[in-house]
Amino acid sequence: MEKTQSAGRMAGLDILAAGRRTQNVKSRLKHWRTLNAFALVYICEGSGSFESNETAEVNVKAGDCFFLFPGVSHFYGPPGQTIWKEIWVLFRGNLAEYMLKENTLNPSFPVTSLHATRRSEFQRNLESLVELYRNKANEFRLRSTALLYNCLLQSTLPLDSPPPISGDSILLDEMKLILRRHMGSSRKIPGYFHNSRYSYNTLRMEFQRLTGESPGQYLRELRMQHAEEQLLWSGLSITDICMGLGFTDSRYFSRAFKKHAGSSPREFRQRYHLIR
């Protein structure tokens, strides 16, 4: 159940389009519009107003973002001879629907003024998302989903909340959590991520980019650290420790442990064992 939920969180957003736009009085929407998906609009420069059939007219300015909702008519843009610059993302998915159901996203309160400490990272994440969308890079879905997830998190935090961790950190934590949950599994690593919408090759490259090591190297080090703890603190036999960490060959386990710790599991236990 936990594995399925974790994979579901990684696949809960689908980005349909993204871009930048400069609006003036000529390009401003001249009529009310209704979308069939969600959208996030962030104002980088300038000011104006926003209104929808769920809320009265609201003044908005640089550093503000607002959400557009499926089936909710809206109208927005700068006044008079002024302009504003915006970044927008059109999206849908289970996570967005869940946030709407839980009132985390609320059509009656669509505008958010971002805390000053969060604006630079927020805009940087959106800029990166737009570039990924335009270039259609191999890792587009993986990285852009993480970036949008982070933007949703930042835009729904209370104004005085500290900045959240980056989208990359969120994604990395998800992958590490899945690996930790399978520390005792003898299956091959690609099978751990079979519920993900992303190929294992894409996930592996992203993990390598963020950590400098492969998922296999990370998992092997994690297992060796756990083996050390069990050799020191438990009364389990070396065979039980080996099998409990997903190794089916005790000789391979001993070689891997010796490479990690500089001594065999038996020598390590005899030298440092804390159980009397």
Side-chain angles (χ1 to χ4, degrees):
M1 176 64 73
E2 289 180 342
K3 176 180 67 177
T4 302
Q5 289 175 341
S6 179
R9 285 195 298 270
M10 294 173 70
L13 292 169
D14 187 16
I15 296 170
L16 307 177
R20 306 179 186 88
R21 181 168 62 169
T22 299
Q23 280 212 66
N24 54 35
V25 69
K26 293 182 179 179
S27 63
R28 176 175 174 154
L29 291 172
K30 295 180 173 60
H31 55 81
W32 289 64
R33 182 178 64 173
T34 306
L35 302 177
N36 61 2
F38 294 85
L40 167 63
V41 180
Y42 176 70
I43 306 173
C44 307
E45 181 181 325
S47 62
S49 63
F50 169 87
E51 59 183 307
S52 76
N53 59 8
E54 291 283 343
T55 185
E57 184 176 7
V58 180
N59 292 327
V60 290
K61 62 186 184 306
D64 291 349
C65 69
F66 53 86
F67 289 93
L68 310 177
F69 295 84
V72 177
S73 298
H74 56 268
F75 181 93
Y76 63 87
Q81 300 303 311
T82 63
I83 65 169
W84 82 19
K85 295 182 180 180
E86 67 182 52
I87 305 174
W88 57 271
V89 184
L90 188 68
F91 63 96
R92 62 163 60 102
N94 293 335
L95 178 59
E97 295 290 348
Y98 176 79
M99 294 177 76
L100 178 62
K101 180 181 177 181
E102 295 296 311
N103 283 325
T104 306
L105 296 179
N106 190 334
S108 298
F109 303 97
V111 179
T112 298
S113 294
L114 291 173
H115 193 283
T117 60
R118 298 204 291 265
R119 291 174 188 169
S120 294
E121 182 186 0
F122 190 87
Q123 182 169 339
R124 187 166 58 249
N125 285 342
L126 286 176
E127 294 278 3
S128 298
L129 193 158
V130 170
E131 288 304 311
L132 285 167
Y133 178 78
R134 286 182 173 178
N135 297 329
K136 292 297 190 295
N138 291 334
E139 70 275 18
F140 162 67
R141 289 192 179 278
L142 181 66
R143 295 189 61 195
S144 60
T145 296
L147 290 168
L148 179 56
Y149 179 94
N150 190 49
C151 287
L152 291 175
L153 177 62
Q154 291 188 70
S155 62
T156 54
L157 284 172
L159 189 59
D160 58 352
S161 296
I165 58 177
S166 70
D168 280 347
S169 295
I170 293 170
L171 180 62
L172 181 60
D173 286 346
E174 291 278 3
M175 290 190 282
K176 285 183 174 180
L177 180 60
I178 291 174
L179 289 169
R180 287 196 296 271
R181 286 172 176 164
H182 290 83
M183 189 166 56
S185 173
S186 59
R187 285 196 303 162
K188 293 185 178 180
I189 293 177
Y192 305 166
F193 298 91
H194 73 278
N195 283 327
S196 173
R197 70 189 295 179
Y198 313 113
S199 69
Y200 173 67
N201 190 48
T202 299
L203 290 167
R204 180 184 58 78
M205 289 190 296
E206 190 68 5
F207 194 96
Q208 182 99 31
R209 181 184 72 84
L210 294 172
T211 67
E213 61 182 351
S214 69
Q217 290 170 322
Y218 172 81
L219 183 59
R220 184 163 52 250
E221 180 65 20
L222 196 65
R223 284 170 168 165
M224 292 300 101
Q225 291 174 1
H226 199 66
E228 283 186 354
E229 293 176 3
Q230 291 190 320
L231 287 167
L232 291 174
W233 295 99
S234 80
L236 293 173
S237 69
I238 293 174
T239 299
D240 286 342
I241 293 173
C242 165
M243 301 299 289
L245 291 174
F247 292 92
T248 56
D249 185 336
S250 59
R251 289 175 297 181
Y252 176 78
F253 168 71
S254 293
R255 288 196 300 269
F257 187 87
K258 187 170 185 177
K259 183 177 180 180
H260 165 80
S263 59
S264 70
R266 188 175 304 279
E267 292 168 342
F268 184 87
R269 169 168 273 178
Q270 289 173 345
R271 186 178 305 167
Y272 301 111
H273 196 199
L274 303 180
I275 300 295
R276 294 291 183 263

XYZ file of all heavy atoms in Angstrom, residues 189-191 193 198-205 214-216:
119
model
N 16.315 -3.888 -8.879
C 15.876 -2.525 -8.555
C 14.806 -1.985 -9.505
O 13.855 -1.344 -9.045
C 17.089 -1.578 -8.494
C 17.972 -1.957 -7.303
C 16.652 -0.121 -8.376
C 19.241 -1.138 -7.187
N 14.882 -2.202 -10.823
C 13.822 -1.650 -11.686
C 12.421 -2.068 -11.263
O 11.460 -1.315 -11.453
C 14.181 -2.205 -13.071
C 15.667 -2.351 -13.030
C 15.963 -2.812 -11.619
N 12.294 -3.249 -10.651
C 10.987 -3.717 -10.212
C 10.405 -2.908 -9.075
O 9.184 -2.903 -8.866
N 10.157 0.193 -8.954
C 9.503 1.384 -9.497
C 8.490 1.030 -10.586
O 8.160 1.871 -11.420
C 10.557 2.339 -10.068
C 11.529 2.859 -9.047
C 12.722 2.189 -8.802
C 11.248 3.996 -8.314
C 13.620 2.656 -7.857
C 12.144 4.475 -7.366
C 13.328 3.803 -7.134
N 7.187 6.741 -15.010
C 8.465 7.004 -15.650
C 9.257 5.713 -15.786
O 9.178 4.828 -14.935
C 9.278 8.016 -14.833
C 8.481 9.221 -14.420
C 8.184 9.455 -13.079
C 8.003 10.107 -15.368
C 7.437 10.549 -12.697
C 7.254 11.205 -14.993
C 6.975 11.421 -13.656
O 6.235 12.497 -13.283
N 10.041 5.608 -16.834
C 10.876 4.427 -17.006
C 11.973 4.422 -15.948
O 12.394 5.482 -15.462
C 11.511 4.429 -18.401
O 12.483 5.458 -18.508
N 12.442 3.221 -15.615
C 13.513 3.148 -14.622
C 14.766 3.845 -15.129
O 15.500 4.453 -14.351
C 13.840 1.694 -14.278
C 15.053 1.602 -13.379
C 15.003 2.082 -12.069
C 16.264 1.097 -13.852
C 16.114 2.047 -11.251
C 17.377 1.059 -13.032
C 17.299 1.531 -11.736
O 18.404 1.502 -10.929
N 15.020 3.780 -16.434
C 16.209 4.429 -16.975
C 16.167 5.935 -16.721
O 17.174 6.552 -16.358
C 16.315 4.154 -18.476
C 17.650 4.592 -19.044
O 18.707 4.288 -18.494
N 17.613 5.309 -20.154
N 14.979 6.539 -16.872
C 14.830 7.972 -16.591
C 15.045 8.259 -15.117
O 15.742 9.208 -14.741
C 13.432 8.449 -17.020
O 13.280 8.247 -18.426
C 13.236 9.927 -16.709
N 14.455 7.425 -14.249
C 14.626 7.604 -12.812
C 16.085 7.440 -12.405
O 16.597 8.194 -11.575
C 13.758 6.592 -12.059
C 12.248 6.810 -12.124
C 11.519 5.575 -11.606
C 11.838 8.031 -11.325
N 16.751 6.450 -12.988
C 18.158 6.204 -12.644
C 19.028 7.401 -13.016
O 19.880 7.833 -12.228
C 18.649 4.948 -13.367
C 20.107 4.599 -13.073
C 20.561 3.403 -13.893
N 20.401 3.636 -15.313
C 21.235 4.377 -16.052
N 22.288 4.956 -15.482
N 21.021 4.540 -17.338
N 18.809 7.954 -14.210
C 19.605 9.110 -14.638
C 19.341 10.317 -13.746
O 20.257 11.078 -13.418
C 19.303 9.436 -16.100
C 19.846 8.412 -17.088
S 19.733 8.951 -18.817
C 17.957 9.059 -19.024
N 24.488 5.927 -8.482
C 23.321 5.241 -9.023
C 22.423 4.752 -7.893
O 22.870 4.639 -6.740
C 23.767 4.050 -9.870
O 24.322 3.040 -9.030
N 21.151 4.428 -8.183
C 20.296 3.834 -7.150
C 20.892 2.557 -6.573
O 20.775 2.298 -5.373
C 18.987 3.552 -7.901
C 18.971 4.544 -9.009
C 20.400 4.690 -9.426
N 21.568 1.761 -7.427
C 22.191 0.530 -6.943
C 23.302 0.804 -5.944
O 23.425 0.106 -4.928
